[in-house]
């Protein structure tokens, strides 16, 4: 696989307008030459943040492939996610690989439980909030069937109450029900009817509905199914009107383009959805990544298609061919910063591991969903051990998970005049995290003014040829023992990311 490093970053010009934050004072920002002043307020921009994480599904197909994860695979996985300290995970199952045997039509809640049990036990023991759910009913003909409701809710109760996986706080009943690829095919009324059926059934199990609420409606931003009455904002708005009392957290999916993020358009999209929900409720991106079908990303799409044709285990129909590239490790924290700065409460990156899904969940690993930070079955199944290596974007995403913990408050800051710089800052228990990305072509000196002092801080950097790691290829800081009274200056190089924190 040939990686193009920064070619695409330099071959596409961007017109960037930054409006992803609230202004403290209109003229409080200075960007003179290569100097950028960043003034942080103690005023809260976004309170009680849920956290950043990943889609981590329980390797439903691995056994069908004849390659269940080994103890060594799990050990490697846990070492990597331990560093991430993810506050939030989205975990979805395909019931025919779990509790429902399609050949017999029988329900068995203990069937193929091992991988899901390991994953949920880990999340429970590490206080990770899980949005759990099912992609579709066991058979699409069951999308209005009470039998599915009975099996699915009994299984949920088994996981939460019987097995004690208290990490599950929210429940998704259809993945992307607005899509033509879902068994609902965009039929809001079917989805609504089933949402009421599921919640009524949940209430028949002691304590279940008190512990688990719906995550909804799980629809796709920037998409409209012609068979649906509503576009994606319409789904969110209508669900808020029809069943807000059943919804614990609102949830949409986003796959914007690179240019859309870098030219500053994405915050306006986020705010459309934020306005659709009650002010006392939170909304997250249940899935998020990049897709390149929009016209401004045409050069990226051209290269994407070239790579998809030659890749040995994906046709690229549901993949991101740039997860191997350095620049994806700039784009993902950029997306995360826009989420945090514009009122959303969390984002789960799609996805942790290539080994979780084949395209269409067919059980045939000839065309997998290549989106991950690695492929944990690279050696066993694909005869490509190098695919098990950590990919570049893990570096920055792990830091955005670890150092923006659940319950942190995002702080307000001045409006930046430099179009190629984005950042977020959070306070948690009196400690500070500041993260910045420079996707421009010029090195910048950041003059940072914080609302309080920082003691014993550390600094991480992500540059093409400078991103320090330990023996396990996990990020390590370039500086430690940083003490900041209130002012701090540092160089943020072109095409780089930096994070300063005094959190553990």
């Amino acid at each position: 696989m040939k990686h193009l490093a920064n070619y695409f970053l330099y071959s596409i010009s961007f017109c960037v307008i930054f409006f992803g934050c609230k202004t403290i004072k209109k003229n409080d920002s200075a960007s003179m030459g290569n100097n950028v002043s960043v003034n942080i307020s103690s005023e809260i921009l976004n309170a009680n943040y849920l956290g950043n994480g990943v889609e981590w599904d329980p390797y439903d197909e691995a056994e069908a492939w004849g390659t269940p994860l080994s103890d060594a695979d799990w050990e490697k996985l846990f070492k990597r996610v331990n560093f991430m300290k993810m506050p939030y995970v989205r975990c979805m199952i395909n019931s025919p690989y779990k509790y429902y045997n399609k050949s017999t039509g029988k329900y068995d809640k203990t069937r193929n439980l091992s991988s899901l049990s390991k994953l949920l036990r880990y999340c429970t023991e590490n206080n990770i909030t899980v949005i759990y759910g099912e992609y579709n009913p066991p058979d699409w003909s069951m999308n209005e069937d009470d039998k599915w409701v009975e099996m699915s809710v009994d299984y949920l109760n088994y996981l939460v109450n019987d097995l004690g996986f208290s990490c599950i706080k929210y429940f998704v009943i259809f993945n992307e029900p607005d899509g033509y690829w879902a068994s609902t095919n965009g039929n809001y009324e079917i989805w609504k009817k089933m949402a009421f059926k599921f919640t009524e059934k949940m209430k028949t199990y002691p304590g279940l509905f008190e512990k688990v609420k719906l995550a909804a409606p799980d629809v796709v931003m920037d998409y409209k199914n012609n068979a649906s009455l509503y576009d994606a904002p319409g789904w969110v708005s209508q669900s808020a009107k029809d069943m807000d009392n059943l919804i614990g957290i609102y949830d949409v999916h986003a796959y914007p383009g690179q240019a859309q993020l870098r030219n500053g358009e994405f915050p306006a999209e986020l705010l459309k959805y934020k306005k659709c929900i009650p002010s006392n409720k939170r909304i997250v991106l249940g899935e998020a990544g990049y897709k390149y079908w929009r016209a401004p990303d045409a050069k990226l799409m051209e290269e994407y298609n070239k790579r998809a044709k030659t890749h040995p285990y994906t046709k690229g129909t549901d993949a991101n061919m740039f997860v191997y590239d350095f620049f994806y490790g700039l784009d993902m924290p950029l997306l995360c910063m826009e989420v945090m700065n514009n009122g959303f409460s969390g984002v789960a990156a799609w996805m942790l591991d290539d080994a979780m899904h084949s395209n269409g969940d067919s059980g045939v690993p000839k065309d997998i969903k290549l989106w991950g930070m690695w492929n944990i079955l690279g050696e066993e199944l694909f005869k490509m051990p190098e695919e098990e290596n950590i990919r570049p974007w893990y570096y920055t995403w792990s830091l955005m998970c670890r150092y923006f913990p659940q319950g942190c408050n995002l702080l307000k800051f001045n409006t930046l005049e430099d179009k190629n710089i984005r950042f977020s800052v959070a306070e948690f228990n009196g400690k500070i995290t500041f993260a910045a990305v420079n996707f421009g072509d010029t090195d910048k000196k950041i003059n940072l003014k914080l609302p309080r002092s920082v003691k014993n801080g550390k600094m991480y950097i992500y540059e093409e040829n400078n991103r320090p790691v330990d023996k396990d290829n996990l990020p390590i800081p370039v500086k430690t023992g940083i003490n900041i009274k209130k002012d701090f200056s540092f160089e943020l190089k072109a095409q780089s990311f930096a994070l300063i924190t005094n959190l553990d």
Side-chain angles (χ1 to χ4, degrees):
M1 175 64 62
K2 294 181 180 179
H3 303 159
L4 297 192
N6 286 332
Y7 171 76
F8 297 105
L9 297 176
Y10 292 99
S11 65
I12 301 174
S13 61
F14 302 101
C15 176
V16 186
I17 302 172
F18 183 82
F19 57 99
C21 63
K22 297 183 180 179
T23 303
I24 298 170
K25 293 180 181 179
K26 190 168 184 181
N27 297 316
D28 204 20
S29 168
S31 179
M32 299 179 64
N34 292 338
N35 284 277
V36 178
S37 294
V38 180
N39 300 312
I40 311 298
S41 168
S42 58
E43 191 177 352
I44 294 172
L45 171 68
N46 188 359
N48 193 25
Y49 193 66
L50 175 64
N52 306 314
V54 296
E55 179 91 17
W56 190 10
D57 295 342
Y59 304 94
D60 282 344
E61 297 177 67
E63 290 186 2
W65 296 339
T67 52
L69 272 64
S70 66
D71 289 343
D73 289 329
W74 282 107
E75 183 180 354
K76 184 183 290 187
L77 276 173
F78 289 148
K79 183 175 289 186
R80 294 171 179 182
V81 296
N82 281 345
F83 177 81
M84 297 174 76
K85 288 189 176 181
M86 292 181 291
Y88 155 48
V89 158
R90 184 175 186 261
C91 176
M92 301 287 286
I93 68 163
N94 279 293
S95 53
Y97 292 107
K98 294 299 182 194
Y99 66 72
Y100 185 77
N101 189 326
K102 266 195 166 184
S103 62
T104 65
K106 298 292 186 180
Y107 167 67
D108 179 2
K109 60 189 176 185
T110 66
R111 180 174 178 259
N112 296 338
L113 187 63
S114 176
S115 60
L116 179 60
S117 179
K118 279 188 173 70
L119 194 162
L120 293 178
R121 184 178 299 112
Y122 178 87
C123 291
T124 300
E125 291 174 352
N126 289 277
N127 299 313
I128 298 170
T129 295
V130 172
I131 293 180
Y132 159 86
E134 300 198 35
Y135 282 105
N136 272 298
D139 186 277
W140 280 27
S141 65
M142 299 172 71
N143 68 350
E144 298 181 73
D145 196 330
D146 288 345
K147 182 181 178 182
W148 176 39
V149 177
E150 292 167 4
M151 292 187 295
S152 180
V153 174
D154 188 73
Y155 193 64
L156 175 65
N157 183 71
Y158 178 60
L159 296 174
V160 175
N161 284 330
D162 295 350
L163 297 181
F165 297 137
S166 57
C167 59
I168 298 175
K169 304 296 186 186
Y170 305 105
F171 183 37
V172 174
I173 60 171
F174 289 94
N175 178 68
E176 300 177 348
D178 56 331
Y180 68 83
W181 52 88
S183 60
T184 49
N185 189 25
N187 189 317
Y188 176 84
E189 293 303 320
I190 290 177
W191 176 81
K192 182 176 80 168
K193 178 175 70 173
M194 294 302 281
F196 280 103
K197 283 188 175 184
F198 267 90
T199 50
E200 287 305 307
K201 190 65 179 178
M202 289 166 67
K203 291 175 183 178
T204 67
Y205 288 86
L208 184 60
F209 188 68
E210 288 70 34
K211 295 175 182 176
V212 182
K213 296 292 193 294
L214 293 186
D218 207 61
V219 294
V220 184
M221 292 176 64
D222 201 15
Y223 170 75
K224 169 67 166 68
N225 185 341
N226 290 333
S228 181
L229 288 174
Y230 306 111
D231 60 7
W235 273 76
V236 176
S237 180
Q238 195 63 38
S239 63
K241 292 176 184 176
D242 290 342
M243 61 183 80
D244 178 64
N245 62 317
L246 305 181
I247 296 173
I249 197 163
Y250 288 85
D251 158 39
V252 296
H253 298 181
Y255 290 91
Q258 186 191 71
Q260 188 180 11
L261 263 293
R262 296 190 175 200
N263 67 17
E265 294 175 5
F266 194 58
E269 287 299 308
L270 292 170
L271 292 173
K272 285 181 187 177
Y273 295 85
K274 179 68 175 172
K275 291 176 181 177
C276 292
I277 68 170
S279 60
N280 65 332
K281 288 291 180 73
R282 297 194 288 183
I283 185 169
V284 298
L285 292 186
E287 291 181 15
Y290 283 79
K291 293 188 176 181
Y292 306 98
W293 52 266
R294 298 166 182 84
D297 294 323
K299 290 185 178 180
L300 285 168
M301 195 71 221
E302 182 181 352
E303 174 61 21
Y304 180 102
N305 289 330
K306 288 179 184 177
R307 294 187 185 192
K309 288 178 182 177
T310 59
H311 198 283
Y313 60 76
T314 186
K315 296 180 175 65
T317 50
D318 190 351
N320 190 310
M321 306 310 297
F322 300 116
V323 293
Y324 298 99
D325 288 75
F326 171 81
F327 77 80
Y328 201 67
L330 299 178
D331 284 347
M332 286 303 291
L334 169 59
L335 188 155
C336 189
M337 290 170 189
E338 299 291 44
V339 168
M340 293 192 294
N341 293 342
N342 289 280
F344 274 55
S345 291
V347 51
W350 179 272
M351 57 186 187
L352 184 71
D353 193 332
D354 293 353
M356 298 192 306
H357 294 284
S358 62
N359 190 28
D361 298 300
S362 63
V364 180
K366 293 180 179 179
D367 181 14
I368 69 164
K369 297 187 177 186
L370 192 159
W371 286 87
M373 299 178 183
W374 51 74
N375 184 329
I376 204 65
L377 296 177
E379 182 174 8
E380 299 95 321
L381 183 60
F382 300 99
K383 310 307 177 189
M384 299 176 69
E386 68 277 11
E387 292 296 317
E388 297 194 18
N389 295 338
I390 292 173
R391 294 172 186 157
W393 73 283
Y394 168 86
Y395 200 102
T396 53
W397 195 257
S398 65
L399 296 174
M400 297 301 289
C401 294
R402 181 182 180 100
Y403 293 118
F404 290 91
Q406 187 167 143
C408 71
N409 294 322
L410 282 302
L411 301 181
K412 291 186 180 181
F413 49 85
N414 59 285
T415 302
L416 281 180
E417 293 178 1
D418 193 302
K419 62 185 182 180
N420 297 316
I421 306 287
R422 307 286 168 82
F423 66 89
S424 290
V425 60
E427 182 274 336
F428 182 73
N429 290 340
K431 297 188 175 182
I432 293 283
T433 295
F434 172 84
V437 63
N438 177 2
F439 52 84
D441 299 338
T442 305
D443 298 348
K444 298 292 181 177
K445 182 182 178 183
I446 306 297
N447 301 307
L448 180 62
K449 186 181 290 293
L450 294 169
R452 61 179 59 85
S453 62
V454 170
K455 293 182 179 179
N456 198 28
K458 50 188 172 282
M459 181 177 184
Y460 296 86
I461 59 171
Y462 174 79
E463 299 167 2
E464 177 109 45
N465 298 309
N466 187 18
R467 43 187 193 269
V469 295
D470 65 14
K471 62 181 178 58
D472 296 310
N473 288 314
L474 305 178
I476 57 175
V478 293
K479 293 181 182 178
T480 58
I482 297 173
N483 294 307
I484 307 171
K485 288 185 177 180
K486 283 195 176 180
D487 295 27
F488 184 68
S489 296
F490 67 96
E491 185 180 44
L492 184 63
K493 291 189 175 180
Q495 312 299 332
S496 76
F497 165 94
L499 184 142
I500 300 167
T501 187
N502 59 342
L503 283 169
D504 294 331

